Amino acid sequence: QVQLVESGGGSVQAGGSLRLSCAASRYRNYCMGWFRQAPGMEREGVAFIDKAGITKYADSVKGRFTISKDNAKNTLYLQMNNLKPEDTAMYYCAAASWCIMSTMSDREFGFWGQGTQVTVSS
């Protein structure tokens, strides 16, 4: 069981940056992921980091977003640079005992944060 608390969302103009944080109660080594969901859209995986620190990014954010974790602080981060209007969504932090990196499936994630809104204006 793990509790996740996200922060760092906000409103920025296109080209701006935000850093999302996810404070976690980690009782074991988890695969961690960031997901996002825009109104009327399917939830999609944005960035994963597995137990070994290997990362995976959605093609739409590759080169702009960076996922990282600080194990000592039990905190997950998503650095988002060069934000675009299409990045606008509710962003969720999630934890899984194991995850499928290749497909970025959300079905393995049993623990979710409350979400933090990211809005990017043109």
Side-chain angles (χ1 to χ4, degrees), residues 46-64:
V46 175
F48 283 10
I49 184 165
D50 72 9
K51 299 174 183 180
I54 299 172
T55 59
K56 171 72 174 181
Y57 298 92
D59 289 342
S60 59
V61 308
K62 202 167 189 177
R64 300 187 297 120

Side-chain angles (χ1 to χ4, degrees), residues 28-41:
R28 58 167 293 167
N29 193 14
Y30 290 102
C31 179
M32 304 294 295
W34 288 99
F35 296 82
R36 67 186 182 187
Q37 187 169 27
M41 301 293 182

Side-chain angles (χ1 to χ4, degrees), residues 2-9 20-24 33-37 43 89-95 111-118:
V2 61
Q3 185 171 339
L4 308 173
V5 180
E6 298 129 322
S7 62
L20 306 184
S21 298
C22 174
W34 288 99
F35 296 82
R36 67 186 182 187
Q37 187 169 27
R43 184 169 61 197
M90 185 72 74
Y91 283 71
Y92 299 91
C93 170
F111 308 102
W112 295 82
Q114 80 288 348
T116 185
Q117 179 68 39
V118 172

Side-chain angles (χ1 to χ4, degrees), residues 49-93:
I49 184 165
D50 72 9
K51 299 174 183 180
I54 299 172
T55 59
K56 171 72 174 181
Y57 298 92
D59 289 342
S60 59
V61 308
K62 202 167 189 177
R64 300 187 297 120
F65 291 11
T66 303
I67 187 171
S68 62
K69 58 182 178 180
D70 186 332
N71 290 328
K73 296 181 179 179
N74 287 338
T75 302
L76 180 74
Y77 302 98
L78 184 67
Q79 179 66 47
M80 304 185 293
N81 296 327
N82 192 24
L83 283 160
K84 302 176 180 180
E86 52 262 43
D87 295 319
T88 296
M90 185 72 74
Y91 283 71
Y92 299 91
C93 170

